[in-house]
Amino acid sequence: MAGTTQPSAIDDILAEHAGLELQLSDPSLHNDPSAARRVGKRFAELAPIMATHTKLQAAREDLEAARELAADDSSFAAEVPELEAKVAELDVALTDLLAPRDPHDGDDVVLEVKSGEGGEESALFAADLARMYLRYAERHGWRVEVLDANISDLGGYKDATLSIKSKGDTRDGVWARLKFEGGVHRVQRVPVTESQGRVHTSAAGVLIYPEPEEVEEVQIDETDLRIDVYRSSGKGGQGVNTTDSAVRITHLPTGIVVTCQNERSQLQNKARAMQVLAARLQAAAEEAAADEASAGRQSQVRTVDRSERIRTYNYPENRITDHRIGFKAHNLDAVLDGDLDALLDALGKSDREARLAVE
């Protein structure tokens, strides 16, 4: 694929990078923290492209010099094939970086887990999934907030809402890594409630949305909202609210319901619930706007049914299988402890190949 880099594409990036650099050097930009964040984030997103482009330019200059030297002195000839391989490798890498990207790849996310068929066993599995994402976030230094959780009698999650945020300005944020997790996850294991030792199959669902940086980015009419307050629930301890500070927001036109009870005050819970609602509405609007937008999320949960699954977690065989790309591995215990990178890398590679195929 050497020589596939599109000059016009890299020229556009070079011009944009120079413009962003000028903006960042302007003190007035930093009087608007929101604008400064957006510019800084985009500047960071372009950093890997700029670094690879610089390396490619240097390698091409080295190759040209080596060819000239080899023409006069054959002792330099051995360097030419090595530099040609390096140029080809960097050219492929730059082409990959310039491939069409999901515009939300740098975003943070709201992730929901929901139990489905299987009763208590499904709720326990939903909690296992939430824990898996928590451990994965810890490995990457991300911040996780449990915004809301409806706990089952055995300590599982009937449903839970997590906010996952990256460390800061990076090209690829949480969405770039976790966007493939939306869908039905199926588990095969002996439930704790099974007295005969038989393997059962149940399922839990995952929904994931990019979270807008500012609620104001999504237009929400206050008259379309019903806001209820109630007493937060929990297992006890000093962190449990004893006042009516939990908030439930219902978006009447769509029927979307969002709850938050993690924050200390009603105002804080309302603010976080509004952020989650904005994320849900943004995702819904994008799906409705074009078939292309919805096609990327068609694996999200429609009904949490065992037959409609993206992935199977087989405990007896310690095996995980992603049915969309045929990925299989026998390290389920490690995956559930947050070792998801090999699986997510495979999903990302498949997605990039599909994007390049339609370019």
Side-chain angles (χ1 to χ4, degrees):
M1 293 179 62
T4 56
T5 303
Q6 299 296 320
S8 59
I10 191 60
D11 288 345
D12 290 344
I13 293 295
L14 292 171
E16 182 183 5
H17 186 268
L20 292 169
E21 201 165 28
L22 280 174
Q23 289 185 62
L24 288 169
S25 66
D26 184 351
S28 64
L29 173 69
H30 303 278
N31 293 330
D32 184 346
S34 179
R37 260 196 318 274
R38 284 194 297 271
V39 172
K41 181 178 178 181
R42 180 58 179 161
F43 188 77
E45 287 175 355
L46 297 184
I49 300 176
M50 295 298 299
T52 303
H53 175 259
T54 300
K55 290 177 184 176
L56 177 58
Q57 292 296 94
R60 282 173 171 163
E61 290 173 4
D62 290 344
L63 175 58
E64 185 178 352
R67 284 172 174 165
E68 290 176 357
L69 290 169
D72 297 327
D73 185 346
S74 59
S75 64
F76 289 98
E79 295 182 21
V80 173
E82 294 178 6
L83 287 168
E84 286 176 339
K86 185 176 181 181
V87 166
E89 180 184 347
L90 287 168
D91 195 34
V92 169
L94 185 58
T95 299
D96 185 49
L97 288 169
L98 291 172
R101 299 181 73 240
D102 185 326
H104 293 297
D105 273 353
D107 289 355
D108 298 322
V109 306
V110 174
L111 185 147
E112 300 178 34
V113 291
K114 297 177 179 293
S115 62
E117 290 185 5
E120 279 289 355
E121 164 62 5
S122 177
L124 289 169
F125 178 52
D128 291 335
L129 289 175
R131 192 177 304 111
M132 176 181 75
Y133 296 125
L134 176 61
R135 297 276 170 79
Y136 184 72
E138 288 173 349
R139 287 170 181 252
H140 288 265
W142 297 341
R143 291 177 289 119
V144 181
E145 286 182 85
V146 180
L147 301 180
D148 187 56
N150 186 2
I151 301 172
S152 71
D153 292 339
L154 295 182
Y157 283 157
K158 295 179 181 177
D159 55 74
T161 304
L162 314 178
S163 169
I164 309 178
K165 297 183 180 294
S166 66
K167 291 179 284 189
D169 293 336
T170 55
R171 171 180 166 84
D172 288 336
V174 183
W175 175 258
R177 294 301 283 168
L178 296 185
K179 62 184 174 183
F180 308 108
E181 292 305 290
V184 176
H185 296 239
R186 183 175 68 171
V187 62
Q188 295 172 325
R189 66 183 177 186
V190 179
V192 295
T193 55
E194 168 59 51
S195 59
Q196 302 298 318
R198 293 171 298 186
V199 174
H200 287 230
T201 300
S202 62
V206 174
L207 291 163
I208 186 164
Y209 314 97
E211 183 170 6
E213 289 187 18
E214 307 290 341
V215 174
E216 291 74 17
E217 293 177 14
V218 179
Q219 296 299 316
I220 301 176
D221 190 336
E222 290 280 344
T223 61
D224 288 338
L225 305 178
R226 185 177 72 238
I227 301 176
D228 303 304
V229 297
Y230 58 99
R231 184 156 297 181
S232 298
S233 61
K235 293 185 177 180
Q238 294 180 348
V240 177
N241 292 310
T242 57
T243 59
D244 292 336
S245 61
V247 173
R248 178 188 300 110
I249 299 178
T250 304
H251 187 250
L252 300 174
T254 62
I256 293 174
V257 179
V258 173
T259 59
C260 184
Q261 59 175 320
N262 183 63
E263 306 294 344
R264 291 284 179 174
S265 72
Q266 186 182 123
L267 283 175
Q268 289 173 318
N269 278 320
K270 180 184 176 184
R272 284 304 279 128
M274 286 292 289
Q275 286 181 298
V276 175
L277 176 61
R280 295 276 301 267
L281 290 173
Q282 176 177 271
E286 289 177 357
E287 290 181 8
D291 290 340
E292 291 80 7
S294 64
R297 297 188 181 90
Q298 64 186 359
S299 61
Q300 295 266 7
V301 179
R302 292 188 290 276
T303 58
V304 185
D305 181 277
R306 286 191 294 263
S307 64
E308 185 183 330
R309 81 282 190 219
I310 63 165
R311 190 176 299 153
T312 296
Y313 302 72
N314 186 306
Y315 275 65
E317 298 180 16
N318 194 35
R319 185 184 74 239
I320 184 165
T321 304
D322 194 287
H323 305 287
R324 295 164 295 181
I325 58 172
F327 178 95
K328 289 185 180 181
H330 287 83
N331 65 336
L332 176 58
D333 50 351
V335 168
L336 289 168
D337 196 43
D339 187 6
L340 279 162
D341 278 325
L343 171 56
L344 298 181
D345 285 345
L347 286 162
K349 181 174 182 288
S350 176
D351 181 63
R352 285 193 299 276
E353 288 173 351
R355 288 176 181 275
L356 285 169
V358 299
E359 187 178 9

